[in-house]
Every structure is written in C-alpha cells, then in structure tokens.
Amino acid sequence: MLEVKGLRKVYRSGSREVEALRDLTFTVENGELVCLVGPSGCGKTTLLRCVSGLLDPTAGDVRVNGQAVDGPPKGMAVVFQEYGRSLFPWMTVRDNVELPLKQKKVDKKRRAELVAESLDAVGLSGSESAYPWQLSGGMQQRVAIARAVAYEPQTLLMDEPFAAVDAQTRADLEDLVRQLWKRLGVTILFVTHDIDESVYLGQRVVMLSSSPTVVQDELIIDLPAERDQLTTRAAPRFIELRTRVYEQIQAAKKNTGK
Ligand SMILES: Nc1ncnc2c1ncn2[C@@H]1O[C@H](COP(=O)(O)OP(=O)(O)O)[C@@H](O)[C@H]1O
Ligand SMILES: [Mg+2]
C-alpha cells in the first residue's frame, strides 16, 4: 500500500520560494489503479518525485507497505513524461529494456525472457535491434513502458506518459495500460492533466487543486472493468463522472481565487 500523508513541498532557490504542494493526503491500495488529475503546474511531477524517493518533501511523509520512503523504493518503476529523454539513444531497444534488470542483478537467461515478454506485451517484438530514434513517439513510449514492466515492479508510477503522442496512439496506449494492469496485478498511480483519461483509466480518481495544491476530492469510478474507447466514453455514466471531476477542478480554482 502507498500512503501519502500531509505532503508539502516548497522549492527554494536563493530568496525565492515556490510552494509546489501544500498538503496532500491519499492512499493507493495494493493492486489498485488510481489516477491523479490536476492542472498543469499543480505539482504532479513534484509529487511523483517525492513518492519515488528522488526528492525530499518539506513536510509530511510517504510510505510504501509501511516503510518510509527515503530513496528509490525497491519494486517501484516510473514512466516519465518525457520519454524522448528517458531512453538512451545509443542503445538498442533490447539494451534499453535490459539495463535496469542488469542493475537489479537478474541473471542473463531470465533477463532475456523478461525483455522478450515485455516487448511482446507492448507489441514491439521484432524491434529489439532498433534504436529509439528510429521509432515513432508512440513506439518510444511503448519501449519505456516495456522497460518498466520488465522490471516486474509492484508499483508503477506514470507521469503524463501519453501527453506527447497523437490521439489514436494515446487511445491504444491507454488500453495497453489497463491490459497490463489486469494481467500483472501491479499497483498503478497514473498522473494526468486530462480529465477524460483519468475517468477512462482509473478505478478511482484523486483530484488535485491548482496551486497551492491540496487534494480537492476523490471519486470512485464505478464503470465496468471491461472498458473500450467507444462504448465506455459514450456511456451516460462516463459523462456523469467526467462532469463531476470537471466541476470539482473548477471549484478548486475558485477556492484559490484563480
Ligand atoms: N526544481 C524546481 N525549482 C523551483 N520550482 C520548481 C521546480 N520544479 C517545479 N517547480 C515549480 O513547482 C510547481 C509544480 O511543478 P510540477 O510538479 O512540474 O507541476 P506539474 O507536473 O503538475 O505540471 C510549478 O510552479 C513549477 O514551476
Ligand atoms: Mg509534470
């Protein structure tokens, strides 16, 4: 279980202070798929950096299965917003996916299996020997997802992973995430600024206000587990839920006087 309690982050540079996060409290149960939605600049990336132990919070704490996070937690993988910069251009797809497994000291035979399985899962079998720059944006993002999946994480954090791909690719990748989540039983915290995406993907949506950022509300997404781009997005319940999220985020803006 992932617990975020009273999380606050103030960036300080010289005499300038930016309060990126004011007070965040929420939990994600093991095996859950939770979306965190909030406007650009509200501190979503800051939050994920604190959760993944890359950044020290100013106050509050983060726990993974009861353990306080003070460095990158074991069993956690992150898919970043800027996939272009997260893959090594001089390494093939295979080597990019394999690298974290070497760091984890997985033996060679098992590494080969995991790389093959994860590339297959994202539909990239056959591209093992390509270099990232030879692939489209959507394919590069699938390599980044394969790399995270091959690591066999218990917890997967995703930071607006589809912000830079075209709409059709984005829809395919959303379905891929739900498919992988169901198959692997992994806990996913998926961060997005896109309200429709959060409702389509999540079992639960945590809404953030604009800055100074607090948790505005949470909503259970009681849509059927089998989702598809056409029927789910056209369902009356989907429209109701997205309206609720939209209203909450508008209300949050008013509260902070923006
Ligand atoms: N390293 C940093 N130093 C100072 N301010 C930062 C730093 N990183 C982010 N910020 C500020 O913190 C706020 C939240 O940023 P960020 O977490 O990137 O938001 P989001 O991911 O939701 O767009 C913004 O106002 C941003 O300018
Ligand atoms: Mg961000």
Side-chain angles (χ1 to χ4, degrees):
M1 181 163 101
L2 173 67
E3 295 171 280
V4 174
K5 219 184 261 169
L7 192 70
R8 176 161 193 257
K9 178 64 190 179
V10 180
Y11 288 107
R12 290 201 171 84
S13 50
S15 58
R16 232 173 70 85
E17 290 197 350
V18 178
E19 187 184 28
L21 302 172
R22 174 160 288 181
D23 183 7
L24 296 191
T25 299
F26 65 91
T27 58
V28 181
E29 301 292 333
N30 286 337
E32 216 182 354
L33 199 179
V34 172
C35 291
L36 209 111
V37 65
S40 292
C42 78
K44 301 183 295 298
T45 298
T46 301
L47 167 69
L48 284 198
R49 285 203 198 117
C50 292
V51 170
S52 56
L54 301 173
L55 193 64
D56 280 334
T58 306
D61 63 356
V62 178
R63 285 173 185 273
V64 175
N65 294 324
Q67 287 267 6
V69 168
D70 56 3
K74 277 204 183 79
M76 186 181 279
V78 188
V79 176
F80 292 99
Q81 194 165 1
E82 295 178 38
Y83 53 84
R85 279 207 263 157
S86 83
L87 300 175
F88 294 113
W90 62 87
M91 284 187 181
T92 61
V93 165
R94 178 191 295 108
D95 292 347
N96 266 288
V97 175
E98 191 181 15
L99 185 65
L101 302 178
K102 284 186 178 164
Q103 287 161 350
K104 201 181 174 185
K105 307 227 179 324
V106 177
D107 72 56
K108 196 172 176 200
K109 181 165 167 283
R110 183 69 187 137
R111 287 204 304 265
E113 285 168 7
L114 287 167
V115 171
E117 280 169 18
S118 67
L119 285 173
D120 181 47
V122 302
L124 280 179
S125 300
S127 299
E128 290 88 347
S129 305
Y131 288 88
W133 46 270
Q134 295 175 311
L135 306 175
S136 68
M139 288 167 91
Q140 290 178 28
Q141 192 55 303
R142 279 190 277 156
V143 177
I145 295 170
R147 182 174 58 185
V149 165
Y151 194 72
E152 298 188 302
Q154 284 177 312
T155 313
L156 180 57
L157 309 181
M158 304 183 91
D159 189 5
E160 304 203 46
F162 313 142
V165 297
D166 62 86
Q168 180 58 58
T169 306
R170 182 183 190 134
D172 292 344
L173 291 174
E174 285 167 359
D175 290 336
L176 176 67
V177 166
R178 285 213 34 112
Q179 218 182 64
L180 290 172
W181 167 67
K182 279 192 222 160
R183 206 166 89 193
L184 305 173
V186 60
T187 308
I188 301 185
L189 180 59
F190 187 102
V191 166
T192 178
H193 66 264
D194 186 315
I195 292 170
D196 288 54
E197 182 167 77
S198 72
V199 174
Y200 182 71
L201 282 180
Q203 289 182 301
R204 187 152 60 87
V205 172
V206 177
M207 291 157 253
L208 300 182
S209 68
S210 41
S211 95
T213 307
V214 297
V215 171
Q216 173 73 10
D217 201 4
E218 289 191 22
L219 189 61
I220 305 277
I221 304 301
D222 53 3
L223 294 167
E226 282 305 320
R227 299 186 190 176
D228 81 81
Q229 295 286 347
L230 290 179
T231 45
T232 303
R233 284 177 188 270
R237 187 61 186 153
F238 180 86
I239 314 279
E240 266 169 42
L241 290 166
R242 77 170 296 285
T243 305
R244 291 268 292 279
V245 176
Y246 186 84
E247 283 170 353
Q248 284 305 321
I249 288 178
Q250 288 299 109
K253 279 187 197 164
K254 285 206 190 81
N255 290 343
T256 56
K258 282 195 177 175

